[in-house]
Amino acid sequence: MERRRQRLEPYRRRLADDTATTETFQLTPQYGGTLMGCDIHIVLERRRNGQPKWIGEYCSDNHPVVGRNLRARQRDYGFFGRLAHVRHHPEEGPHHYPQNLPRDVSDLAWDQYMRCPTDYHTPSHLSVPDFCEAYLAENPNDPQIRAEHVAFDLLGVDSEEDCEYRVVFWFDN
C-alpha cells in the first residue's frame, strides 16, 4: 500500500497545483483502484481442416506491415477484463477464464510471447467466434462493427470454409 502511495505522489502534487483539475480528476479509475495502462497482444492462428499444426497468420505488434484491421487491439478495459476475468465481473454475457498458451501454439505466437515473458501476463486463447462474442457483449453498440461481419471488422478475418481460426492473446502493463 505504501509503494502505491509513493507511485501516485507525483500525480497528487501535480493535481494540487491545478485546482480545476483537482476537482474533476479522480485517482481511482473505473476498474481497479490504481492508474493503469494495459495493452493486448494478439496472434491470429489458422489451421486447415485435418492438419495438426496451427500457423500464425499475423501478430498485432506488427499489424501495419500486414495491413489488417485490428479494432480488437484498442484499449478497452471492460473487454480486457472480460477476456482475462480480472477487475471486471460481468453479470451478463460470456465468461472466459484464462487458459494459458495452448500446447500446440504456433511458432509466431511462441516467438512473440517469449520476447518479454516476464512482462506479459494472463495468456489465453479463444476461437474467433468466442472472441468476437466477448467483444460484442462489452460493446454491443460499436458503430464500427457490423454484426454480420464481426470477425472481419474486429480482427480482419475473412473465414475460409476449410480452415479453423483462433485468437491467442496476452496482456502487458
Side-chain angles (χ1 to χ4, degrees):
M1 191 66 159
E2 182 60 33
R3 291 178 76 187
R4 184 178 352 172
R5 273 194 216 112
Q6 289 172 352
R7 277 196 328 253
L8 293 176
E9 190 55 38
Y11 297 102
R12 287 195 177 106
R13 266 189 260 122
R14 193 175 328 150
L15 291 174
D17 295 340
D18 183 3
T19 56
T21 306
T22 305
E23 295 170 8
T24 58
F25 183 79
Q26 295 180 7
L27 286 174
T28 54
Q30 184 177 359
Y31 301 110
T34 61
L35 295 174
M36 70 182 237
C38 183
D39 292 309
I40 189 169
H41 301 267
I42 297 170
V43 176
L44 180 72
E45 295 183 329
R46 174 184 50 86
R47 176 171 68 179
R48 296 222 178 266
N49 291 338
Q51 299 295 316
K53 187 169 175 130
W54 288 92
I55 306 297
E57 287 277 303
Y58 69 80
C59 174
S60 62
D61 292 349
N62 58 11
H63 74 277
V65 175
V66 181
R68 300 276 183 148
N69 174 15
L70 289 180
R71 177 100 177 117
R73 189 159 194 282
Q74 295 180 359
R75 282 188 179 171
D76 181 340
Y77 296 131
F79 175 53
F80 293 177
R82 185 177 290 274
L83 290 177
H85 202 71
V86 296
R87 300 180 186 248
H88 180 64
H89 302 287
E91 299 295 323
E92 311 251 334
H95 298 274
H96 299 288
Y97 297 92
Q99 304 176 59
N100 214 335
L101 292 177
R103 289 182 185 268
D104 56 353
V105 70
S106 68
D107 292 340
L108 176 62
W110 180 254
D111 291 345
Q112 290 296 314
Y113 185 77
M114 291 310 291
R115 287 173 50 203
C116 301
T118 57
D119 291 342
Y120 297 148
H121 61 86
T122 324
S124 192
H125 61 281
L126 290 172
S127 69
V128 168
D130 287 345
F131 189 85
C132 293
E133 180 185 19
Y135 182 85
L136 288 175
E138 207 55 45
N139 301 286
N141 300 316
D142 187 337
Q144 295 182 11
I145 303 294
R146 300 166 294 172
E148 64 278 5
H149 300 290
V150 66
F152 183 79
D153 291 344
L154 193 58
L155 295 163
V157 174
D158 225 357
S159 61
E160 301 172 26
E161 288 184 17
D162 65 336
C163 290
E164 179 182 3
Y165 289 90
R166 74 177 172 196
V167 181
V168 177
F169 57 93
W170 55 88
F171 302 92
D172 72 24
N173 289 340

